[in-house]
mmCIF file of all heavy atoms in Angstrom:
data_model
loop_
_atom_site.group_PDB
_atom_site.id
_atom_site.type_symbol
_atom_site.label_atom_id
_atom_site.label_comp_id
_atom_site.label_asym_id
_atom_site.label_seq_id
_atom_site.Cartn_x
_atom_site.Cartn_y
_atom_site.Cartn_z
ATOM 1 N N SER A 681 -26.077 -4.067 -7.788
ATOM 2 C CA SER A 681 -25.902 -4.342 -6.380
ATOM 3 C C SER A 681 -26.175 -3.007 -5.572
ATOM 4 O O SER A 681 -25.863 -1.887 -6.008
ATOM 5 C CB SER A 681 -24.521 -4.827 -6.210
ATOM 6 O OG SER A 681 -24.397 -4.775 -4.720
ATOM 7 N N LEU A 682 -26.759 -3.110 -4.340
ATOM 8 C CA LEU A 682 -26.952 -1.999 -3.516
ATOM 9 C C LEU A 682 -25.555 -1.585 -3.017
ATOM 10 O O LEU A 682 -24.673 -2.550 -2.691
ATOM 11 C CB LEU A 682 -27.804 -2.416 -2.297
ATOM 12 C CG LEU A 682 -29.277 -2.154 -2.379
ATOM 13 C CD1 LEU A 682 -30.002 -2.704 -1.198
ATOM 14 C CD2 LEU A 682 -29.498 -0.557 -2.473
ATOM 15 N N PRO A 683 -25.217 -0.460 -2.920
ATOM 16 C CA PRO A 683 -23.755 -0.049 -2.553
ATOM 17 C C PRO A 683 -23.389 -0.489 -1.231
ATOM 18 O O PRO A 683 -22.127 -0.669 -1.119
ATOM 19 C CB PRO A 683 -23.816 1.470 -2.750
ATOM 20 C CG PRO A 683 -25.071 1.855 -3.548
ATOM 21 C CD PRO A 683 -26.035 0.916 -3.157
ATOM 22 N N GLY A 684 -24.163 -0.509 -0.238
ATOM 23 C CA GLY A 684 -23.721 -0.781 1.063
ATOM 24 C C GLY A 684 -23.214 0.329 1.837
ATOM 25 O O GLY A 684 -23.197 1.536 1.353
ATOM 26 N N GLY A 685 -22.380 0.158 2.896
ATOM 27 C CA GLY A 685 -21.906 1.259 3.849
ATOM 28 C C GLY A 685 -20.816 2.051 3.224
ATOM 29 O O GLY A 685 -20.207 1.706 2.114
ATOM 30 N N CYS A 686 -20.650 3.279 3.763
ATOM 31 C CA CYS A 686 -19.641 4.156 3.250
ATOM 32 C C CYS A 686 -19.192 5.022 4.441
ATOM 33 O O CYS A 686 -19.831 5.287 5.360
ATOM 34 C CB CYS A 686 -20.242 5.256 2.186
ATOM 35 S SG CYS A 686 -19.139 6.532 1.693
ATOM 36 N N ALA A 687 -17.722 5.324 4.479
ATOM 37 C CA ALA A 687 -17.129 5.964 5.496
ATOM 38 C C ALA A 687 -17.749 7.305 5.943
ATOM 39 O O ALA A 687 -17.762 7.697 6.925
ATOM 40 C CB ALA A 687 -15.615 6.185 5.254
ATOM 41 N N ILE A 688 -18.325 8.008 4.939
ATOM 42 C CA ILE A 688 -18.777 9.478 5.160
ATOM 43 C C ILE A 688 -20.278 9.430 5.511
ATOM 44 O O ILE A 688 -20.695 10.517 5.908
ATOM 45 C CB ILE A 688 -18.417 10.409 3.993
ATOM 46 C CG1 ILE A 688 -19.144 9.958 2.735
ATOM 47 C CG2 ILE A 688 -16.965 10.439 3.729
ATOM 48 C CD1 ILE A 688 -18.953 10.961 1.638
ATOM 49 N N GLY A 689 -20.930 8.356 5.455
ATOM 50 C CA GLY A 689 -22.315 8.535 5.832
ATOM 51 C C GLY A 689 -23.193 7.353 5.378
ATOM 52 O O GLY A 689 -22.687 6.404 4.662
ATOM 53 N N THR A 690 -24.479 7.266 5.713
ATOM 54 C CA THR A 690 -25.372 6.170 5.365
ATOM 55 C C THR A 690 -25.658 6.063 3.829
ATOM 56 O O THR A 690 -25.524 5.025 3.214
ATOM 57 C CB THR A 690 -26.638 6.245 6.117
ATOM 58 O OG1 THR A 690 -27.220 7.547 5.760
ATOM 59 C CG2 THR A 690 -26.673 6.039 7.544
ATOM 60 N N ARG A 691 -25.735 7.086 3.157
ATOM 61 C CA ARG A 691 -26.013 7.344 1.781
ATOM 62 C C ARG A 691 -27.048 6.262 1.127
ATOM 63 O O ARG A 691 -26.727 5.499 0.360
ATOM 64 C CB ARG A 691 -24.631 7.165 1.061
ATOM 65 C CG ARG A 691 -23.554 8.239 1.576
ATOM 66 C CD ARG A 691 -22.227 8.078 0.887
ATOM 67 N NE ARG A 691 -22.409 8.748 -0.467
ATOM 68 C CZ ARG A 691 -21.397 8.954 -1.293
ATOM 69 N NH1 ARG A 691 -20.203 8.425 -0.869
ATOM 70 N NH2 ARG A 691 -21.446 9.543 -2.504
ATOM 71 N N PRO A 692 -28.271 6.483 1.499
ATOM 72 C CA PRO A 692 -29.381 5.618 0.930
ATOM 73 C C PRO A 692 -29.454 5.853 -0.571
ATOM 74 O O PRO A 692 -29.008 6.869 -1.011
ATOM 75 C CB PRO A 692 -30.617 5.973 1.744
ATOM 76 C CG PRO A 692 -30.330 7.345 2.242
ATOM 77 C CD PRO A 692 -28.774 7.416 2.373
ATOM 78 N N VAL A 693 -30.265 4.956 -1.275
ATOM 79 C CA VAL A 693 -30.450 5.294 -2.677
ATOM 80 C C VAL A 693 -32.065 5.379 -2.983
ATOM 81 O O VAL A 693 -32.441 5.185 -4.104
ATOM 82 C CB VAL A 693 -29.932 4.195 -3.576
ATOM 83 C CG1 VAL A 693 -28.354 4.331 -3.498
ATOM 84 C CG2 VAL A 693 -30.422 2.774 -3.191
ATOM 85 N N ASP A 694 -32.807 5.840 -1.955
ATOM 86 C CA ASP A 694 -34.233 5.820 -2.005
ATOM 87 C C ASP A 694 -34.668 6.778 -3.169
ATOM 88 O O ASP A 694 -35.668 6.500 -3.786
ATOM 89 C CB ASP A 694 -34.920 6.225 -0.706
ATOM 90 C CG ASP A 694 -34.323 7.479 -0.250
ATOM 91 O OD1 ASP A 694 -33.031 7.654 -0.253
ATOM 92 O OD2 ASP A 694 -35.157 8.418 0.195
ATOM 93 N N LEU A 695 -34.008 7.823 -3.372
ATOM 94 C CA LEU A 695 -34.356 8.869 -4.413
ATOM 95 C C LEU A 695 -34.093 8.423 -5.788
ATOM 96 O O LEU A 695 -34.946 8.678 -6.709
ATOM 97 C CB LEU A 695 -33.742 10.198 -4.159
ATOM 98 C CG LEU A 695 -33.975 10.940 -2.762
ATOM 99 C CD1 LEU A 695 -32.983 12.070 -2.633
ATOM 100 C CD2 LEU A 695 -35.463 11.336 -2.764
ATOM 101 N N HIS A 696 -33.070 7.461 -5.939
ATOM 102 C CA HIS A 696 -32.856 6.883 -7.295
ATOM 103 C C HIS A 696 -34.062 5.991 -7.696
ATOM 104 O O HIS A 696 -34.563 6.089 -8.794
ATOM 105 C CB HIS A 696 -31.570 6.014 -7.223
ATOM 106 C CG HIS A 696 -30.360 6.789 -6.983
ATOM 107 N ND1 HIS A 696 -29.415 6.875 -7.884
ATOM 108 C CD2 HIS A 696 -30.001 7.405 -5.816
ATOM 109 C CE1 HIS A 696 -28.314 7.622 -7.390
ATOM 110 N NE2 HIS A 696 -28.670 7.888 -6.092
ATOM 111 N N LEU A 697 -34.562 5.230 -6.586
ATOM 112 C CA LEU A 697 -35.617 4.265 -6.861
ATOM 113 C C LEU A 697 -36.953 5.079 -7.058
ATOM 114 O O LEU A 697 -37.779 4.665 -7.856
ATOM 115 C CB LEU A 697 -35.708 3.333 -5.710
ATOM 116 C CG LEU A 697 -34.463 2.572 -5.257
ATOM 117 C CD1 LEU A 697 -34.677 1.500 -4.198
ATOM 118 C CD2 LEU A 697 -33.794 1.959 -6.578
ATOM 119 N N LYS A 698 -37.072 6.085 -6.352
ATOM 120 C CA LYS A 698 -38.260 6.948 -6.484
ATOM 121 C C LYS A 698 -38.354 7.471 -7.983
ATOM 122 O O LYS A 698 -39.377 7.579 -8.596
ATOM 123 C CB LYS A 698 -38.199 8.177 -5.590
ATOM 124 C CG LYS A 698 -39.471 9.081 -5.604
ATOM 125 C CD LYS A 698 -39.254 10.187 -4.606
ATOM 126 C CE LYS A 698 -40.489 11.179 -4.557
ATOM 127 N NZ LYS A 698 -40.331 12.305 -3.619
ATOM 128 N N GLY A 699 -37.230 7.978 -8.600
ATOM 129 C CA GLY A 699 -37.170 8.361 -9.823
ATOM 130 C C GLY A 699 -37.501 7.332 -10.863
ATOM 131 O O GLY A 699 -38.436 7.582 -11.777
ATOM 132 N N ILE A 700 -37.020 6.168 -10.618
ATOM 133 C CA ILE A 700 -37.358 5.005 -11.589
ATOM 134 C C ILE A 700 -38.909 4.635 -11.490
ATOM 135 O O ILE A 700 -39.546 4.557 -12.540
ATOM 136 C CB ILE A 700 -36.566 3.730 -11.109
ATOM 137 C CG1 ILE A 700 -35.091 3.963 -11.201
ATOM 138 C CG2 ILE A 700 -36.933 2.462 -11.932
ATOM 139 C CD1 ILE A 700 -34.462 3.937 -12.577
ATOM 140 N N GLU A 701 -39.411 4.652 -10.286
ATOM 141 C CA GLU A 701 -40.796 4.272 -10.188
ATOM 142 C C GLU A 701 -41.678 5.473 -10.781
ATOM 143 O O GLU A 701 -42.773 5.132 -11.341
ATOM 144 C CB GLU A 701 -41.120 4.039 -8.583
ATOM 145 C CG GLU A 701 -40.524 2.748 -8.139
ATOM 146 C CD GLU A 701 -40.679 2.517 -6.641
ATOM 147 O OE1 GLU A 701 -40.811 3.536 -5.911
ATOM 148 O OE2 GLU A 701 -40.753 1.249 -6.273
ATOM 149 N N ALA A 702 -41.185 6.762 -10.607
ATOM 150 C CA ALA A 702 -41.978 7.773 -11.195
ATOM 151 C C ALA A 702 -42.093 7.704 -12.726
ATOM 152 O O ALA A 702 -42.869 8.309 -13.329
ATOM 153 C CB ALA A 702 -41.463 9.002 -10.768
ATOM 154 N N LEU A 703 -41.204 6.861 -13.214
ATOM 155 C CA LEU A 703 -41.216 6.680 -14.690
ATOM 156 C C LEU A 703 -41.899 5.420 -15.120
ATOM 157 O O LEU A 703 -41.821 4.963 -16.290
ATOM 158 C CB LEU A 703 -39.843 6.751 -15.224
ATOM 159 C CG LEU A 703 -38.984 7.934 -15.061
ATOM 160 C CD1 LEU A 703 -37.462 7.821 -15.445
ATOM 161 C CD2 LEU A 703 -39.586 9.194 -15.927
ATOM 162 N N GLY A 704 -42.563 4.747 -14.125
ATOM 163 C CA GLY A 704 -43.364 3.663 -14.399
ATOM 164 C C GLY A 704 -42.486 2.355 -14.319
ATOM 165 O O GLY A 704 -42.969 1.244 -14.665
ATOM 166 N N GLY A 705 -41.295 2.516 -13.896
ATOM 167 C CA GLY A 705 -40.375 1.333 -13.615
ATOM 168 C C GLY A 705 -40.799 0.617 -12.309
ATOM 169 O O GLY A 705 -41.397 1.248 -11.380
ATOM 170 N N SER A 706 -40.443 -0.702 -12.150
ATOM 171 C CA SER A 706 -40.605 -1.317 -10.901
ATOM 172 C C SER A 706 -39.239 -1.772 -10.359
ATOM 173 O O SER A 706 -38.353 -2.082 -11.101
ATOM 174 C CB SER A 706 -41.479 -2.513 -11.071
ATOM 175 O OG SER A 706 -40.795 -3.570 -11.714
ATOM 176 N N VAL A 707 -39.224 -1.734 -9.078
ATOM 177 C CA VAL A 707 -37.883 -2.045 -8.400
ATOM 178 C C VAL A 707 -38.113 -2.984 -7.268
ATOM 179 O O VAL A 707 -39.023 -2.791 -6.508
ATOM 180 C CB VAL A 707 -37.027 -0.683 -7.937
ATOM 181 C CG1 VAL A 707 -36.543 0.090 -9.022
ATOM 182 C CG2 VAL A 707 -37.956 -0.010 -6.932
ATOM 183 N N ARG A 708 -37.310 -4.036 -7.258
ATOM 184 C CA ARG A 708 -37.511 -5.095 -6.149
ATOM 185 C C ARG A 708 -36.085 -5.317 -5.618
ATOM 186 O O ARG A 708 -35.075 -5.360 -6.331
ATOM 187 C CB ARG A 708 -37.956 -6.260 -6.738
ATOM 188 C CG ARG A 708 -39.461 -6.504 -6.490
ATOM 189 C CD ARG A 708 -39.950 -7.953 -6.224
ATOM 190 N NE ARG A 708 -39.175 -8.912 -6.772
ATOM 191 C CZ ARG A 708 -39.471 -9.570 -7.959
ATOM 192 N NH1 ARG A 708 -40.682 -9.189 -8.588
ATOM 193 N NH2 ARG A 708 -38.824 -10.425 -8.486
ATOM 194 N N LEU A 709 -35.917 -5.323 -4.254
ATOM 195 C CA LEU A 709 -34.624 -5.663 -3.559
ATOM 196 C C LEU A 709 -34.584 -7.182 -3.459
ATOM 197 O O LEU A 709 -35.415 -7.845 -2.885
ATOM 198 C CB LEU A 709 -34.676 -5.014 -2.147
ATOM 199 C CG LEU A 709 -33.355 -5.093 -1.449
ATOM 200 C CD1 LEU A 709 -32.145 -4.664 -2.327
ATOM 201 C CD2 LEU A 709 -33.298 -4.323 -0.142
ATOM 202 N N GLU A 710 -33.587 -7.782 -4.160
ATOM 203 C CA GLU A 710 -33.396 -9.233 -4.079
ATOM 204 C C GLU A 710 -31.975 -9.692 -3.910
ATOM 205 O O GLU A 710 -31.098 -9.219 -4.695
ATOM 206 C CB GLU A 710 -33.798 -9.901 -5.576
ATOM 207 C CG GLU A 710 -35.218 -9.738 -5.897
ATOM 208 C CD GLU A 710 -35.399 -10.063 -7.446
ATOM 209 O OE1 GLU A 710 -34.315 -10.065 -8.154
ATOM 210 O OE2 GLU A 710 -36.584 -10.120 -7.914
ATOM 211 N N HIS A 711 -31.713 -10.324 -2.742
ATOM 212 C CA HIS A 711 -30.333 -10.893 -2.422
ATOM 213 C C HIS A 711 -29.258 -9.649 -2.591
ATOM 214 O O HIS A 711 -28.272 -9.787 -3.098
ATOM 215 C CB HIS A 711 -30.013 -12.008 -3.391
ATOM 216 C CG HIS A 711 -31.045 -12.845 -3.469
ATOM 217 N ND1 HIS A 711 -31.609 -13.681 -2.429
ATOM 218 C CD2 HIS A 711 -31.856 -13.295 -4.531
ATOM 219 C CE1 HIS A 711 -32.565 -14.547 -2.795
ATOM 220 N NE2 HIS A 711 -32.737 -14.267 -4.165
#
Side-chain angles (χ1 to χ4, degrees):
S681 170
L682 265 175
C686 172
I688 65 175
T690 51
R691 305 183 74 176
V693 294
D694 56 313
L695 297 172
H696 297 247
L697 307 185
K698 183 178 178 183
I700 300 285
E701 287 174 334
L703 297 172
S706 68
V707 289
R708 263 215 329 265
L709 183 52
E710 296 166 346
H711 313 298

